[in-house]
């Protein structure tokens, strides 16, 4: 699923698939949001300050953060 944002005459495209999200395009200068890669875990986020876009993964807490012996 692709989402397009045009908040301030600038453009950002998000791609969401299989519970993961990534900024696939942004016309911002530094491209930090695109370089952030794919996010899939609760509380992870992607931010594009120049385009005023903030995306955060939401969901129920639970499961394991890690397993140790």
């Amino acid at each position: 699923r692709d989402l397009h944002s045009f908040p301030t005459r600038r453009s950002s495209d998000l791609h969401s698939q299989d519970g993961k999200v990534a900024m696939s395009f942004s016309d911002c200068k530094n491209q930090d949001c695109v370089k952030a890669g794919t996010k899939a875990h609760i509380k992870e986020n992607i931010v594009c300050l120049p385009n005023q876009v903030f995306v955060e993964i939401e969901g129920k807490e639970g499961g394991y953060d890690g397993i140790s012996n």
Side-chain angles (χ1 to χ4, degrees):
R1 179 175 183 196
D2 293 315
L3 307 167
H4 308 284
S5 172
F6 307 99
T8 57
R9 297 185 182 183
R10 301 199 61 140
S11 180
S12 299
D13 293 345
L14 293 165
H15 180 76
S16 174
Q17 184 175 0
D18 299 325
K20 300 174 184 176
V21 66
M23 185 79 72
S24 56
F25 169 81
S26 180
D27 62 359
C28 65
K29 187 174 182 177
N30 60 17
Q31 297 291 295
D32 288 339
C33 54
V34 176
K35 294 174 188 173
T38 302
K39 305 297 180 182
H41 301 287
I42 295 171
K43 305 265 185 198
E44 283 189 311
N45 59 58
I46 299 172
V47 179
C48 183
L49 292 177
N51 290 4
Q52 301 175 1
V53 175
F54 178 83
V55 178
E56 183 174 72
I57 306 292
E58 293 183 346
K60 293 182 180 180
E61 295 287 339
Y64 300 100
D65 287 338
I67 298 175
S68 177
N69 287 334

